[in-house]
Amino acid sequence: MIKTRDNKPHIGIFGRRNTGKSSFINSLVGQEIAIVSEQAGTTTDPVKKSIEIFGIGPAIVVDTAGIDDTGELGKKRIEKSLEVLKIVDCAVLMISENTFESYEKALIEAFNSYEVPYILVHNKSDEQPLEEETRIRIGTITKAELTDFSAKEKNNLDKVIVSLKNSIPESVFQKPQLLGDIIGKGDYVLLITPIDNEAPDGRMILPQVMAIRDVLDNDAINIVLKEDQVENFFKTSGITPKLAITDSQVFGKMKDIVPANVPFTSFSIMLARFRGNFKAYLDGTPKIDELQDGDRVLILESCTHQVNCDDIGRFKLPNWIKEYTGRNIEYDVVAGLDKITRDMEDYKMVIQCGGCMVTRKQLRSRLKSAKDASIAISNYGMAIAWVNGMFDRVTEPFSKVYA
Ligand code: SF4
């Protein structure tokens, strides 16, 4: 099993104010790293830290504010704490002093609703051990593992770490394939990367960098060209690449230039498979044909990066869809972790960006409400391919191997 920076488990720490969440994190790491205070409610916004847990390895821990806050500020803290459930792979619910009431039950409901596996840790057990009556009460609500613990005495730290490790889904440690299952040693891979006004100054964008690195990791050979060099390459080089990957925006220009016998896709579609919603996009994209005048489409961008994606989501994609369908469609664009303010049922379709800056879990959580409401989902690359009449061709390289 390979662990990388990209798939470090994200662990959320939840519980009432001053159950010892921050001290618990310090115990996991073996040093003082979090905000610890005697005063209830010292932790405000969720605090994200990259840590190393003995027995688990590198991880990201997210220390949340107390869930039992009151007043306006408290409400905001609670909302922010629950937002964390969209990005964590597992959760620790800290309790202490035998307190297990409606706050804890509400959190467990939230874990279940976001499908986040969790464990319970009863902290400060040296001061007040877990009573049988509390254990029975908890047992009527959840079957999750519950461990008596003391951050001060480090009682049961090993047991807590084993239980935490067991709660992290196996899939978090599995490195998904970017290209490794469709290219091999010595293969040529053609990467078509327009260097235009929208390209960032002096560097490549993340999906291009990821592809270049993956080609090298697989002992294959990168050929990186601008789009106006591709025609000459095929005329003169005598090379038949094992795969050609383009920026989706030049699909239209490239479709007659990349020969039909060369498997062809885009960086965005490569990422769609890597980030794990490929099947939903495959099924949802053809619904573009069913859009009618006045229908509403939600464009989701996973970060607030202004380079490139901003322009695609707000202008290019809506224009291409209008040209293709001839329909007047309404669009809402929601970026980063901004709230989706309309009801999901108001939308006929959701089109998601490539999601290069976020994890699989974050993308899955972002699309959950659309999936739950059976709204068609597509992504930038697939939608652009559809309106260019290239959908089957450019999804084919991954269609037999999607995760
Ligand atoms: S996460 Fe989405 S919006 Fe942000 S740079 Fe990547 S593809 Fe663009």
Side-chain angles (χ1 to χ4, degrees):
M1 215 72 75
I2 308 161
K3 292 185 190 180
T4 72
R5 273 181 72 82
D6 275 340
N7 53 3
K8 285 181 196 171
H10 284 52
I11 303 165
I13 313 293
F14 295 83
R16 287 176 191 253
R17 290 177 291 172
N18 259 22
T19 45
K21 297 188 290 294
S22 301
S23 317
F24 172 70
I25 296 169
N26 289 338
S27 304
L28 285 180
V29 186
Q31 55 178 296
E32 293 266 317
I33 59 154
I35 308 157
V36 186
S37 167
E38 290 301 308
Q39 198 189 337
T42 300
T43 310
T44 52
D45 282 354
V47 181
K48 211 168 151 187
K49 285 191 188 296
S50 192
I51 61 170
E52 179 92 22
I53 305 174
F54 184 72
I56 293 181
I60 304 286
V61 76
V62 190
D63 186 9
T64 68
I67 192 73
D68 56 334
D69 276 359
T70 52
E72 262 317 293
L73 183 62
K75 218 172 118 198
K76 282 205 181 101
R77 284 176 180 160
I78 290 168
E79 276 172 18
K80 282 190 179 167
S81 294
L82 291 180
E83 280 288 305
V84 168
L85 287 173
K86 294 180 182 170
I87 62 160
V88 295
D89 300 299
C90 65
V92 176
L93 172 52
M94 302 291 301
I95 56 174
S96 66
E97 295 148 68
N98 287 284
T99 306
F100 186 88
E101 306 295 343
S102 53
Y103 298 123
E104 288 72 23
K105 287 182 199 163
L107 269 175
I108 286 174
E109 275 169 26
F111 296 157
N112 290 335
S113 145
Y114 282 91
E115 296 172 5
V116 173
Y118 61 94
I119 61 166
L120 284 86
V121 174
H122 183 251
N123 195 15
K124 306 181 188 177
S125 64
D126 51 330
E127 294 163 24
Q128 202 171 330
L130 189 67
E131 291 163 7
E132 198 46 30
E133 191 271 328
T134 314
R135 191 180 290 280
I136 292 168
R137 192 151 30 94
I138 293 172
T140 62
I141 303 296
T142 175
K143 299 287 170 252
E145 199 153 336
L146 165 63
T147 311
D148 233 0
F149 176 71
S150 161
K152 211 194 279 171
E153 303 296 329
K154 309 282 181 291
N155 293 344
N156 279 345
L157 181 59
D158 291 356
K159 217 170 153 190
V160 169
I161 289 175
V162 168
S163 150
L164 185 56
K165 190 176 180 184
N166 291 339
S167 77
I168 301 170
E170 267 292 288
S171 57
V172 175
F173 296 115
Q174 285 162 353
K175 186 175 185 239
Q177 294 279 359
L178 191 63
L179 299 169
D181 50 351
I182 53 173
I183 61 169
K185 190 171 180 177
D187 286 341
Y188 289 99
V189 180
L190 172 62
L191 307 176
I192 304 166
T193 63
I195 305 293
D196 53 19
N197 291 342
E198 288 162 21
D201 246 5
R203 65 176 173 87
M204 313 292 276
I205 59 171
L206 186 57
Q208 295 164 353
V209 174
M210 288 166 74
I212 290 170
R213 175 60 197 261
D214 205 62
V215 169
L216 294 175
D217 282 345
N218 285 287
D219 296 321
I221 301 159
N222 282 295
I223 302 170
V224 185
L225 298 178
K226 295 195 282 187
E227 81 275 28
D228 54 9
Q229 299 170 317
V230 176
E231 190 166 8
N232 191 42
F233 165 79
F234 280 110
K235 276 186 185 153
T236 60
S237 71
I239 292 172
T240 303
K242 182 70 186 281
L243 179 68
I245 311 176
T246 184
D247 186 307
S248 306
Q249 295 187 73
V250 292
F251 264 151
K253 280 190 201 162
M254 291 296 106
K255 73 173 168 187
D256 296 324
I257 293 178
V258 176
N261 63 337
V262 175
F264 187 33
T265 192
S266 76
F267 293 106
S268 174
I269 293 171
M270 170 193 80
L271 267 183
R273 199 275 294 249
F274 188 65
R275 294 281 186 245
N277 288 296
F278 200 76
K279 177 74 168 67
Y281 300 144
L282 270 187
D283 295 341
T285 304
K287 305 276 185 209
I288 290 175
D289 286 359
E290 295 171 20
L291 293 173
Q292 301 296 327
D293 285 334
D295 280 349
R296 193 167 278 282
V297 170
L298 174 63
I299 304 278
L300 285 179
E301 294 189 337
S302 291
C303 75
T304 47
H305 252 55
Q306 294 308 304
V307 178
N308 225 318
C309 305
D310 195 32
D311 193 38
I312 302 173
R314 284 163 185 79
F315 304 105
K316 290 184 177 171
L317 192 51
N319 285 339
W320 286 326
I321 292 177
K322 184 170 171 45
E323 273 171 34
Y324 171 79
T325 60
R327 306 290 184 191
N328 289 311
I329 295 155
E330 307 284 333
Y331 290 89
D332 291 338
V333 180
V334 178
L337 286 177
D338 288 356
K339 241 196 170 119
I340 301 167
T341 48
R342 279 180 195 276
D343 282 349
M344 195 44 80
E345 282 78 10
D346 291 347
Y347 296 106
K348 277 283 172 323
M349 178 171 250
V350 174
I351 306 181
Q352 167 69 51
C353 77
C356 65
M357 309 292 281
V358 293
T359 65
R360 283 163 81 92
K361 161 76 189 188
Q362 283 166 298
L363 260 196
R364 244 198 349 261
S365 297
R366 195 56 158 160
L367 292 171
K368 184 177 182 298
S369 56
K371 280 187 177 167
D372 289 349
S374 302
I375 310 295
I377 301 169
S378 181
N379 98 322
Y380 280 14
M382 290 204 200
I384 296 170
W386 186 264
V387 299
N388 275 288
M390 305 174 66
F391 185 72
D392 289 345
R393 182 177 180 194
V394 296
T395 54
E396 208 281 330
F398 299 115
S399 59
K400 292 191 189 72
V401 290
Y402 61 78

